[in-house]
Amino acid sequence: MKVTVKLFATFRAGRFGEQTKEYSPGTTVGDILNELSLPLDEIGATLINHRHVEEDQLLKDGDTLSIFPLVGGG
Amino acid sequence: MEEVRTFLLKHAEEDLLPWKHQSFASTHFGLSIGQVERIALEAGLLPSRYQRNRKTISLANQLRLFRSHAAVIGCGGLGGYIIEQLARLGVGRITAVDPDVFEEHNLNRQLYSSPATLGRPKVEAAHKRVLEINPAVTLYPLKVAFSKTNGFDMLQGVDVVIDALDSIPVRLELAEVSAEVNAPLVHGAIGGWYGQVATQFPGENTLRKIYSRNTDGKGVEKGLGNPSFTPAVIASLQVAEACKVLIGQGVPLTNRKLHVNLLEMEVNEIPY
């Protein structure tokens, strides 16, 4: 299945802004975070097609997963 | 009071009240600049300093702003710019809360920091500055750390709360207390080239949702610090939100968050 992953802000450094590629059925959001070495404690939001999802969410063909880092300074 | 009103009406230029007359009336009648401003606005006179506001903010809304009370929690990078803009906008009362003194690493971005204010309390510098730029505004400086325990008394009766904190757990406490006192909360956070803004009205749970994954950590700011321009951008967006909340105009950023990326000049909206 084809999934598009969009990374935001600091997560782009050394990775990419947007990438569409083939994933095997059963891939979860957590698997992709792992694959991209994105530490869980730095994640601000994960959305599939503009809907918030958790790590255990399964991906479907055609999904767009957006991953934002946490921002907390003032 | 009627005497003051008559004096102001007599010295107004059309419906504008020049500073020299506002200031004279204050000394002459033994009133504060703020008291004179209230009488002027209630008499349909606009202090001349606000004349470039008037196509954006009507005289009635200028009075509404003057009667309003905003609380700015945190007087660092975001807070300095927020206080400056609220005071110039003409928000009558500002409670400024911050336990810290200025340190050298603040000088790259914090508006009220300078070599002369190093070691001085941030709220004291804010107080002095507001008195200088708009003496009609009353700033209440509170040199304490905001918490759930002391927050209720601080925020009771406030019309809008503005989050300029640098800690996620304290932000969540601020959201909780804001809800308790029934005050809208304008959230802002920054880190490096990035920032975010959202507005939460009582009954909404946006802040809790924004930080649902990590309630006790630090964000991208931990590794990136903050340059001079990011706090100014996010603070300005927050003051625009606060202004709209106070005058009841426009469309606030509710149930969504703006994520601002100044490095690639992108703004993304995240629904909550």
Side-chain angles (χ1 to χ4, degrees), chain B:
Chain B
M1 231 33 110
E2 196 45 45
E3 201 189 345
V4 186
R5 196 172 174 271
T6 310
F7 172 89
L8 297 177
L9 285 166
K10 187 174 156 216
H11 289 89
E13 294 169 4
E14 299 192 0
D15 62 350
L16 291 179
L17 176 65
W19 169 248
K20 62 178 178 191
H21 298 305
Q22 185 174 355
S23 157
F24 178 85
S26 156
T27 319
H28 186 72
F29 296 104
L31 299 170
S32 71
I33 295 288
Q35 286 170 313
V36 177
E37 185 146 315
R38 178 185 294 258
I39 297 167
L41 287 164
E42 284 172 354
L45 298 177
L46 186 69
S48 297
R49 62 155 48 238
Y50 303 122
Q51 58 190 297
R52 293 290 187 275
N53 276 3
R54 69 189 318 174
K55 299 286 176 197
T56 312
I57 295 157
S58 66
L59 194 133
N61 281 333
Q62 195 68 57
L63 176 60
R64 226 165 134 173
L65 289 177
F66 182 78
R67 286 177 172 157
S68 299
H69 188 169
V72 182
I73 313 302
C75 300
L78 292 171
Y81 286 103
I82 291 168
I83 290 167
E84 179 87 6
Q85 293 180 24
L86 290 174
R88 289 188 187 274
L89 188 61
V91 172
R93 285 164 294 155
I94 302 169
T95 291
V97 183
D98 198 302
D100 293 336
V101 298
F102 284 118
E103 295 180 58
E104 207 163 337
H105 58 84
N106 300 146
L107 289 171
N108 78 324
R109 68 192 186 286
Q110 300 196 9
L111 188 58
Y112 299 148
S113 67
S114 70
T117 58
L118 290 178
R120 303 300 311 164
K122 295 182 178 181
V123 292
E124 177 195 289
H127 191 209
K128 217 169 133 195
R129 172 69 174 169
V130 165
L131 213 57
E132 255 169 40
I133 58 172
N134 192 352
V137 172
T138 308
L139 185 133
Y140 307 101
L142 296 179
K143 190 182 174 303
V144 289
F146 180 92
S147 77
K148 216 158 60 174
T149 356
N150 63 14
F152 190 85
D153 290 337
M154 256 179 230
L155 301 187
Q156 218 176 9
V158 157
D159 300 295
V160 67
V161 178
I162 308 180
D163 165 16
L165 288 159
D166 60 358
S167 147
I168 293 170
V170 185
R171 276 200 168 90
L172 292 171
E173 292 190 19
L174 179 63
E176 207 179 310
V177 182
S178 301
E180 262 176 62
V181 299
N182 226 20
L185 171 67
V186 180
H187 159 70
I190 49 173
W193 298 88
Y194 314 101
Q196 62 184 34
V197 192
T199 297
Q200 168 182 300
F201 281 94
E204 295 167 353
N205 218 3
T206 316
L207 261 279
R208 186 51 74 182
K209 290 179 195 162
I210 288 176
Y211 291 115
S212 64
R213 289 173 161 276
N214 290 292
T215 53
D216 52 4
K218 282 252 174 196
V220 295
E221 70 282 0
K222 189 175 66 180
L224 295 176
N226 287 298
S228 64
F229 43 81
T230 314
V233 169
I234 298 301
S236 298
L237 294 175
Q238 288 182 274
V239 175
E241 283 294 285
C243 179
K244 293 187 301 184
V245 166
L246 292 174
I247 65 178
Q249 278 189 355
V251 181
L253 262 171
T254 48
N255 301 314
R256 58 200 170 112
K257 175 182 92 178
L258 279 196
H259 189 274
V260 179
N261 171 346
L262 297 172
L263 185 60
E264 284 136 319
M265 281 303 170
E266 281 178 26
V267 177
N268 298 98
E269 191 175 304
I270 303 176
Y272 281 97

Side-chain angles (χ1 to χ4, degrees), chain A:
Chain A
M1 61 176 183
K2 268 198 165 55
V3 170
T4 299
V5 177
K6 287 186 179 178
L7 299 178
F8 292 86
T10 43
F11 288 165
R12 288 178 184 169
R15 298 186 188 89
F16 54 84
E18 182 175 335
Q19 177 182 276
T20 305
K21 69 171 213 180
E22 202 64 43
Y23 285 94
S24 50
T27 301
T28 64
V29 170
D31 294 335
I32 294 184
L33 296 180
N34 240 335
E35 182 204 347
L36 295 171
S37 308
L38 293 168
L40 284 185
D41 63 354
E42 290 178 19
I43 307 287
T46 44
L47 299 100
I48 293 180
N49 311 330
H50 307 290
R51 202 170 47 81
H52 290 268
V53 290
E54 301 294 329
E55 279 87 71
D56 58 1
Q57 177 69 44
L58 288 168
L59 287 141
K60 296 192 314 289
D61 185 49
D63 276 348
T64 296
L65 171 65
S66 302
I67 309 169
F68 290 84
L70 197 65
V71 180

